[in-house]
Amino acid sequence: MYQRFYTALLIVSSVALFIFTLMAGYREITPDYKSYKSEYRDLFRSKATGEFMKKKAESIDFSVQQVYLGKLNRIDRCINCHLGVENPLMEDAEVPFKMHSGNYLETHPVAEFGCTVCHYGQGRATNAEDAHGTDRETHWDWPILPLKYIDSACAQCHDQEMLAENGADRVLRGEKQFVEKGCRGCHKVNGIGGVLGKALDGIGTQPRAYFPMRYVQGDKTAYTWLKEHFDDPRSIVPESEMRIVLLKDEDADLLTTYILTIRADEMPRDYRRIRTGTQEVPGGEELYKMYCIACHTTGKYSVYDEIFKRTIPAIMNPTFLRVADDNQLRRFIEDGRANTQMTDWKEDAAGLTDDEIGRIVEFLAKSRPAKRGKLFGRSIFDGDTARGRDIYETRCALCHGEDGMGGKNRLGISLVTPVVKEADPEFLLQTVRDGREGTPMIPFGSSGINLSDQDILDVVGYVRTIKPTASPKE
Amino acid sequence: MSGETQGKRKFSRRDFLGLATIWAAVISGFTVLAGVFRMTKANVYYEDSKKFKIGKPEEFPIGTVKQLDEKRVFIFASNDGLHAITSVCTHLGCIVAATDWGFQCPCHGSQFNSDGKVIAGPAPRPLPWLEVSRHVDGNLMVDASKEVKPGTKVKIYL
Ligand code: FES
């Protein structure tokens, strides 16, 4: 009984092993690219006219071919399936036999450039799945680059003007998005930029394992991650504090194209065609866009920000500018605002030079009204705080809260932050007297509620003594 | 065995197993050998391709003598067509220079006539002529791994 069972088992497993061995052998001698080659040969035969082309069609080499690129440290075997890239007869054939579009190969011969230096993917692979590397299971970190982002690859060697002249302007347009949406307000590149977000150096070559793919809808590639994350940051990284700054798909694609050009590697010198021209010095307005606009937007209206849980001040509001002189503005920018998202922007922190800060201040100051407010002439707070408290409770508590903490459901800002605590007397006094145009803060001086200067001195004196009661309101 | 097999040749279990073992050994031996021989030559090498493009026919008007330093060949275009001769000396591999009368090696004084034949010096063999062909995209190609008979010229203007 037992003996029979084991005999049967032996026979069955031997046969199975034999079949597997045959299959392995068969796969070894018929790799995928061979069937592509015979398909290509048939197509070539049917298209070939003239003796020369006919002979070429018959002489297709069925062994594996490759382009060895010593200087680029690459070996590309794409041409085993993409057989017609250099064949003019294949101009309107289907992929993978189609001829390469445009005249790119004339200036970038396959023998010198290969394929993966522009298109990425795994050059050494000999089947489509591994070569394209789009599937996460292929474990290839730089999968084939979708054509809508292909301009980013050109930027490895070409400067942007050159690209723009030759129709590859998507990098330039992407950079415009990058500047105008104010990405550097939070992200450092080359050591310059804000600190709220991650530094972006080398992001374009970052392996895909570094991107959390859990919520990505499309291909699990860095390209899709970036694009979907620009569409809606919190759908990809739920705890992200990134501001949604983009409006249309197209812009997200452009920004992705630009982001992919921020690489950690460099092409060999022989390959680069970067013209080193004089860099244009960005003006105040451009700098404002680059570093400030993501949070302060147009700078005209203060808004309570759901993500930051605080009101972001309108820094081009005339009444604000009337009380904040250039030196003060410069100090705000250089040293940041403690306990807020406003980082210190000076050269040894976020990296703006004195000169650049000067230009931003100059730009902001353009919105300052010519007429300055009447000075209180105080350098210390000497109001009567007991009197001030009474005034506060009747006049201010409604918006700023009894506890002075402002917050989400109140119109006023928190008065217990260092921003208020450390402000100059003159700045606070005039703000109370003249109000803040464009915000719910009305003038409390003679042009509004009509408190006397002494009342204002007292109330501001009291405000300065309020202590935070608990953690700031959510 | 039962009566049915009685009429056929007697074939004992022992014989069958013995023969099967021998044949299995022979077949697998040959398969292994075939595999081993296939291994001796790699499908691809970690090096520059021996076959390379040299440009379009228009770039080689009659009378052209062109030395491609990196590829180590000379290209000549004459009335009879185009041919390629290696620039690597057959002695110890220095790069020869083209002269009025042929080629001169700077290292140990080998001299070759314009067909590559040795006329002086230690070089043991003439400079080989290399195969010239055309790519489907119209470019001319040289295959440095394929020698052709001296005097083989390729008509490049069809
Ligand atoms: S290498 Fe040319 S003569 Fe010796």
Side-chain angles (χ1 to χ4, degrees):
Chain A
M1 187 57 198
Y2 269 133
Q3 204 185 346
R4 266 225 186 141
F5 171 72
Y6 282 117
T7 315
L9 189 67
L10 179 70
I11 290 175
V12 168
S13 52
S14 308
V15 170
L17 181 68
F18 185 64
I19 292 174
F20 278 128
T21 316
L22 282 187
M23 271 163 53
Y26 179 73
R27 269 206 70 76
E28 175 62 28
I29 52 175
T30 55
D32 290 355
Y33 60 82
K34 284 203 175 155
S35 55
Y36 280 112
K37 287 195 184 200
S38 62
E39 207 181 308
Y40 174 70
R41 185 175 57 187
D42 294 343
L43 184 69
F44 196 172
R45 271 180 188 147
S46 70
K47 286 182 185 265
T49 52
E51 206 185 316
F52 172 70
M53 280 300 190
K54 280 188 176 142
K55 233 169 76 194
K56 282 284 172 195
E58 294 311 320
S59 62
I60 285 167
D61 191 338
F62 274 67
S63 64
V64 66
Q65 305 289 304
Q66 70 177 19
V67 183
Y68 170 84
L69 302 155
K71 281 185 201 153
L72 298 175
N73 194 19
R74 278 166 200 275
I75 290 179
D76 284 355
R77 297 180 180 147
C78 320
I79 47 172
N80 289 288
C81 299
H82 295 275
L83 285 147
V85 282
E86 295 182 290
N87 187 346
L89 291 181
M90 298 296 157
E91 209 167 341
D92 31 49
E94 295 286 313
V95 178
F97 305 132
K98 193 176 181 309
M99 190 170 103
H100 197 287
S101 59
N103 60 350
Y104 299 104
L105 295 192
E106 259 163 53
T107 39
H108 305 79
V110 174
E112 271 171 60
F113 288 81
C115 313
T116 59
V117 77
C118 300
H119 293 280
Y120 310 160
Q122 183 175 191
R124 291 179 192 219
T126 49
N127 67 59
E129 196 191 352
D130 288 339
H132 296 169
T134 309
D135 248 26
R136 219 165 16 150
E137 283 65 43
T138 59
H139 301 290
W140 188 249
D141 272 331
W142 299 281
I144 190 165
L145 185 63
L147 288 178
K148 58 183 174 180
Y149 306 132
I150 198 77
D151 289 12
S152 68
C154 309
Q156 293 176 89
C157 294
H158 298 284
D159 56 67
Q160 303 205 356
E161 283 78 57
M162 190 167 179
L163 291 180
E165 282 162 25
N166 292 292
D169 60 345
R170 291 174 65 84
V171 177
L172 204 63
R173 283 160 64 203
E175 186 177 19
K176 202 163 159 248
Q177 294 290 336
F178 185 78
V179 170
E180 296 194 344
K181 307 291 182 195
C183 304
R184 273 190 154 173
C186 297
H187 298 279
K188 275 197 196 322
V189 180
N190 288 330
I192 304 173
V195 294
L196 296 181
K198 177 184 179 308
L200 297 179
D201 300 282
I203 187 98
T205 44
Q206 189 168 277
R208 91 164 114 190
Y210 288 59
F211 295 90
M213 294 292 179
R214 181 146 171 227
Y215 301 110
V216 173
Q217 303 288 314
D219 291 336
K220 308 279 191 256
T221 61
Y223 324 124
T224 319
W225 189 96
L226 288 168
K227 151 85 167 76
E228 291 188 7
H229 167 265
F230 292 143
D231 284 343
D232 180 3
R234 270 164 291 285
S235 74
I236 303 296
V237 183
E239 67 277 20
S240 169
E241 294 197 343
M242 182 150 140
R243 312 181 65 74
I244 304 175
V245 285
L246 294 167
L247 306 166
K248 319 180 286 212
D249 265 10
E250 167 71 2
D251 289 342
D253 278 338
L254 289 174
L255 188 56
T256 304
T257 306
Y258 175 70
I259 292 292
L260 290 172
T261 68
I262 307 177
R263 300 171 61 98
D265 58 358
E266 207 173 44
M267 285 290 273
R269 231 191 147 82
D270 297 4
Y271 283 85
R272 273 182 277 149
R273 293 287 178 278
I274 309 250
R275 295 176 295 198
T276 44
T278 42
Q279 278 259 320
E280 235 179 85
V281 187
E285 183 170 0
E286 253 195 305
L287 289 167
Y288 177 83
K289 283 182 178 165
M290 216 180 291
Y291 300 111
C292 318
I293 206 166
C295 295
H296 291 287
T297 62
T298 58
K300 299 278 187 262
Y301 308 97
S302 326
V303 274
Y304 181 79
D305 190 88
E306 294 287 343
I307 301 162
F308 289 175
K309 315 261 183 256
R310 70 173 61 254
T311 306
I312 298 172
I315 51 175
M316 279 194 274
N317 183 317
T319 40
F320 164 74
L321 289 168
R322 194 155 56 199
V323 291
D325 63 12
D326 284 4
N327 284 333
Q328 224 163 6
L329 288 177
R330 175 177 272 279
R331 234 181 39 237
F332 293 158
I333 299 173
E334 277 178 357
D335 300 332
R337 303 292 258 158
N339 281 12
T340 75
Q341 278 82 354
M342 176 75 179
T343 181
D344 28 350
W345 285 94
K346 60 178 177 281
E347 202 160 0
D348 53 9
L352 292 188
T353 62
D354 281 357
D355 192 41
E356 284 168 327
I357 294 178
R359 264 175 281 149
I360 295 175
V361 169
E362 213 173 280
F363 172 69
L364 297 178
K366 278 190 197 149
S367 310
R368 179 180 290 139
K371 212 171 129 251
R372 303 298 307 266
K374 194 164 104 316
L375 292 179
F376 277 77
R378 294 295 157 107
S379 55
I380 48 160
F381 296 95
D382 54 358
D384 175 349
T385 53
R387 234 191 120 237
R389 183 184 184 122
D390 289 343
I391 302 171
Y392 181 87
E393 272 160 15
T394 47
R395 300 290 184 188
C396 316
L398 192 63
C399 292
H400 292 287
E402 292 285 342
D403 54 5
M405 309 251 297
K408 190 171 180 179
N409 296 318
R410 293 174 178 156
L411 287 174
I413 63 164
S414 167
L415 300 176
V416 297
T417 59
V419 175
V420 174
K421 294 274 173 208
E422 286 158 22
D424 287 343
E426 202 63 54
F427 180 81
L428 292 179
L429 293 168
Q430 288 196 34
T431 302
V432 175
R433 183 187 65 198
D434 302 333
R436 230 359 127 64
E437 223 171 89
T439 75
M441 179 77 182
I442 48 169
F444 283 81
S446 51
S447 57
I449 301 293
N450 212 1
L451 296 182
S452 70
D453 281 3
Q454 187 56 48
D455 293 342
I456 292 172
L457 276 168
D458 294 345
V459 80
V460 169
Y462 168 69
V463 165
R464 295 259 313 161
T465 66
I466 304 177
K467 296 248 165 8
T469 45
S471 60
K473 286 248 162 46
E474 293 273 293
Chain B
M1 300 279 146
S2 72
E4 286 165 346
T5 55
Q6 218 43 240
K8 295 181 185 164
R9 222 180 95 211
K10 190 98 170 118
F11 205 69
S12 80
R13 166 186 288 254
R14 190 171 289 229
D15 285 348
F16 171 75
L17 284 179
L19 271 178
T21 316
I22 290 171
W23 276 108
V26 169
I27 292 172
S28 42
F30 272 111
T31 319
V32 167
L33 268 186
V36 166
F37 279 113
R38 221 189 117 192
M39 294 293 166
T40 55
K41 193 174 172 291
N43 284 334
V44 282
Y45 291 93
Y46 197 69
E47 63 182 21
D48 274 321
S49 170
K50 291 271 190 284
K51 203 169 174 180
F52 47 86
K53 289 185 195 175
I54 55 173
K56 293 254 154 81
E58 305 87 89
E59 294 166 41
F60 299 92
I62 287 161
T64 308
V65 179
K66 212 177 195 176
Q67 181 171 10
L68 304 177
D69 291 330
E70 253 181 60
K71 307 291 185 191
R72 307 183 166 188
V73 286
F74 290 104
I75 312 289
F76 301 90
S78 63
N79 275 326
D80 311 330
L82 184 125
H83 67 279
I85 297 183
T86 182
S87 61
V88 183
C89 178
T90 53
H91 179 225
L92 290 176
C94 290
I95 301 297
V96 300
T99 65
D100 300 342
W101 40 265
F103 307 95
Q104 164 79 52
C105 180
C107 291
H108 315 97
S110 287
Q111 293 177 350
F112 307 85
N113 73 6
S114 54
D115 283 345
K117 245 176 86 192
V118 184
I119 46 180
R125 288 189 303 117
L127 295 174
W129 287 42
L130 305 174
E131 189 191 81
V132 176
S133 59
R134 265 157 52 97
H135 192 270
V136 280
D137 68 3
N139 278 293
L140 294 164
M141 304 190 74
V142 171
D143 189 344
S145 65
K146 287 198 184 131
E147 291 185 20
V148 293
K149 236 177 80 225
T152 318
K153 298 192 178 180
V154 177
K155 287 264 179 244
I156 55 171
Y157 304 105
L158 295 176

